Structure formats: structure tokens, C-alpha cells
Amino acid sequence: MVFTQVTVMGLGPMGRSLTGALLKKGHSVTLWNRSPGKSDELISLGGVLAPTVAEAASASSLIVICVLNYDAVRSIVEQSGDTLRGNESGRNVHVS
């Protein structure tokens, strides 16, 4: 089985559940969240906290964004610099 490096941005209920499931299956997961504190349990399970959106986006070719609305998604994309912009990034970005 190939274990994928995944980045999860947004650690609300959906993001935390998804990250926990990925970690339990052996995937490497980089985490980012706007507000601190939601990552502590996931770090104890093996998740790696990225200090910035750009660093989180650069960590993986598969990125899952779990936030509440379009404005939050737009903010993340803007903070990523060129990392999430354009098709030439080679990254798969999924928004939930």
C-alpha cells in the first residue's frame, strides 16, 4: 500500500475527523488551522503542524481544505502565494 502525504487545512469537526482517519490509516498529514489549539490531539497522533498556509500547501501534492465558506477558501488561496494558484502547481486541491 502506498501511503500518501496529505495536507488538511481547516480543523473544524470535518477536518479533524478526516485528519484522524488519515493518520490512523498510516498517512503522513500536515495540518494548518486559522486558530491555534485545534491541532494538539492530531499532533499527538502524528500530524505535523505547518506554521503558515504556504508551508502547509507546499508539504503535499494532495490538499484538502475544510472551511465554512467561500471567503475562507479565498483567504487560504491568497495566503498560499503561488503554491495553490494555477494548474501548473501539480497539486490536487479538494474543497469540502
Side-chain angles (χ1 to χ4, degrees), residues 17-69:
S17 294
L18 176 63
T19 300
L22 289 166
L23 289 167
K24 286 176 184 171
K25 290 293 185 180
H27 297 279
S28 298
V29 183
T30 299
L31 315 166
W32 180 86
N33 196 63
R34 294 185 282 197
S35 54
K38 291 187 176 181
S39 59
D40 296 343
E41 178 185 348
L42 298 169
I43 290 170
S44 73
L45 294 174
V48 176
L49 182 63
T52 67
V53 170
E55 290 177 66
S58 296
S60 309
S61 59
L62 175 58
I63 300 163
V64 181
I65 301 174
C66 296
V67 293
L68 289 177
N69 56 43

Side-chain angles (χ1 to χ4, degrees), residues 2 11-12 24 35 46-47 52 56 61 67 71 75 78 81 85 88 91:
V2 175
L11 299 176
K24 286 176 184 171
S35 54
T52 67
S61 59
V67 293
D71 290 336
S75 175
E78 288 173 353
R85 293 190 181 134
E88 55 280 340
R91 290 177 168 74

Side-chain angles (χ1 to χ4, degrees), residues 81-96:
D82 290 335
T83 309
L84 296 178
R85 293 190 181 134
N87 293 332
E88 55 280 340
S89 72
R91 290 177 168 74
N92 293 302
V93 179
H94 300 271
V95 179
S96 299

